[in-house]
Amino acid sequence: MKTAVIVFPGSNCDRDMAVALRDATGREPAMVWHRDTELPDVDLVAVPGGFSYGDYLRSGAMAARSPIMRDVIDKAAKGVAVLGVCNGFQILTEAGLLPGALMRNANLSFICRDVDLVVENAQTMFSSRYDQGSTVRIPVAHHDGNYFADEATLDRLEGEGRVVFRYAQACNGSRRDIAGIVNDAGNVLGMMPHPERLIEAEQGGTDGKRLFEGLVAALG
Amino acid sequence: MKAKVYVTLKNGVLDPQGKAIHHALEALGFSGVNDVRQGKFIELDLADGTADADIDEMCRKLLANTVIENYRVEKA
């Protein structure tokens, strides 16, 4: 599996993501600067966490319109897998690759702690190494993780099995406690929790690692 | 020419910041505040003759996220 990590000004989880991808694939991911216009030939593009463009205007709004994102949108339409974590999830919704929006946490606080997630759909290429319905523990660290979509969109996401991860307990005000969703084709996942921060026992657990192992199993 | 763009949260979208401002006003002793909604004000300095349709496109493509926000443009 060949991978790339997009780097925006203000990204701060890009190197953690690169380590997780390198460990899982045995290959060095390409680090792609936001001003580049074309991705290398890859099977997976990771849009990492951080505070791209200082969260100006709205979290992810500026990054979603940066030059490289046009090619990310093109490649996603052609079936290339895209993983957006935290700010990456915000960027993917702003770019229109995923429905809904991520708003300020309902309690207005930055939330930085481990949370329990229920794996609602273990059939996706991102979640196949988790057991359906199991609970995993993965850290969150965000100010704008409050997932919003209208009721019709939420019903559609639920009905189509596109809610992949759900907070086991209310976390940030997200509608229906949604923590991660996929697009209708199933090749784009956005999630607020950080799997790349939990890939070695020294980090307190390896629940995040299985996401990357699942991707390797699916994409080679 | 100048265009003033007002971006506000749609009705039905929870505005926790507006709520916090509301509570703070009450804590300061201001009574009779029924509700507070926070938004954004963006001022554009535009070439004369910029078409309304172009300003509208700027709002839809970047200035507002129409999933959660409405926008209103005033030209001056």
Side-chain angles (χ1 to χ4, degrees):
Chain A
M1 179 171 85
K2 287 177 285 185
T3 63
V5 180
I6 312 291
V7 184
F8 300 97
S11 294
N12 64 11
C13 303
D14 47 326
R15 283 170 289 178
D16 285 5
M17 182 64 81
V19 170
L21 291 171
R22 189 179 60 217
D23 281 6
T25 65
R27 308 169 74 140
E28 203 62 43
M31 305 303 280
V32 180
W33 184 233
H34 70 120
R35 282 194 178 283
D36 292 348
T37 52
E38 206 171 332
L39 290 161
D41 176 31
V42 292
D43 307 296
L44 171 83
V45 181
V47 186
F51 299 88
S52 57
Y53 297 86
D55 282 348
Y56 289 177
L57 190 63
R58 298 176 302 274
S59 297
M62 313 305 285
R65 278 88 182 165
S66 63
I68 194 62
M69 285 306 294
R70 284 195 283 273
D71 200 39
V72 173
I73 292 166
D74 265 13
K75 296 280 165 43
K78 289 173 180 149
V80 171
V82 180
L83 167 66
V85 170
C86 199
N87 189 216
F89 187 11
Q90 296 160 346
I91 292 166
L92 296 183
T93 59
E94 281 282 347
L97 284 171
L98 291 169
L102 291 143
M103 303 183 54
R104 181 54 42 104
N105 292 342
N107 67 0
L108 299 177
S109 300
F110 190 95
I111 301 172
C112 184
R113 59 182 169 85
D114 289 349
V115 297
D116 288 331
L117 298 176
V118 178
V119 180
E120 296 282 352
N121 183 352
Q123 309 273 308
T124 76
M125 69 170 85
F126 303 92
S127 55
S128 62
R129 288 294 166 99
Y130 296 107
D131 294 322
Q132 179 75 29
S134 64
T135 300
V136 296
R137 198 160 176 80
I138 293 183
V140 294
H142 60 247
H143 212 163
D144 296 319
N146 179 355
Y147 184 74
F148 176 88
D150 59 43
E151 287 297 312
T153 303
L154 293 169
D155 287 343
R156 196 173 72 241
L157 289 172
E158 302 267 15
E160 294 173 354
R162 289 166 55 189
V163 177
V164 178
F165 298 109
R166 197 187 309 271
Y167 301 110
Q169 291 90 30
C171 174
N172 50 25
S174 288
R175 290 284 169 108
R176 306 194 191 178
D177 295 323
I178 285 172
I181 55 171
V182 284
N183 66 341
D184 53 359
N187 66 312
V188 178
L189 172 85
M191 63 189 292
M192 288 312 296
H194 286 273
E196 80 282 7
R197 292 190 185 179
L198 217 55
I199 57 165
E200 294 170 12
E202 288 78 6
Q203 293 171 314
T206 55
D207 278 353
K209 188 175 186 173
R210 285 186 275 161
L211 184 140
F212 299 97
E213 291 171 345
L215 282 166
V216 170
L219 299 171
Chain B
M1 67 182 250
K2 293 217 164 135
K4 296 175 173 179
V5 180
Y6 298 88
V7 181
T8 52
L9 284 173
K10 287 182 174 176
N11 285 334
V13 175
L14 185 73
D15 178 10
Q17 292 176 101
K19 276 207 163 33
I21 294 165
H22 190 180
H23 291 148
L25 286 172
E26 287 175 337
L28 287 171
F30 293 104
S31 58
V33 181
N34 292 325
D35 194 20
V36 178
R37 305 281 283 171
Q38 180 182 289
K40 293 190 187 93
F41 167 66
I42 300 164
E43 193 173 72
L44 305 172
D45 190 342
L46 299 165
D48 286 342
T50 301
D52 287 358
D54 286 341
I55 303 173
D56 196 59
E57 198 174 354
M58 292 177 202
C59 292
R60 280 185 288 108
K61 279 196 163 171
L62 179 63
L63 303 181
N65 179 341
T66 56
V67 174
I68 48 171
E69 294 170 330
N70 291 322
Y71 60 88
R72 179 167 60 83
V73 179
E74 275 178 18
K75 289 197 294 179

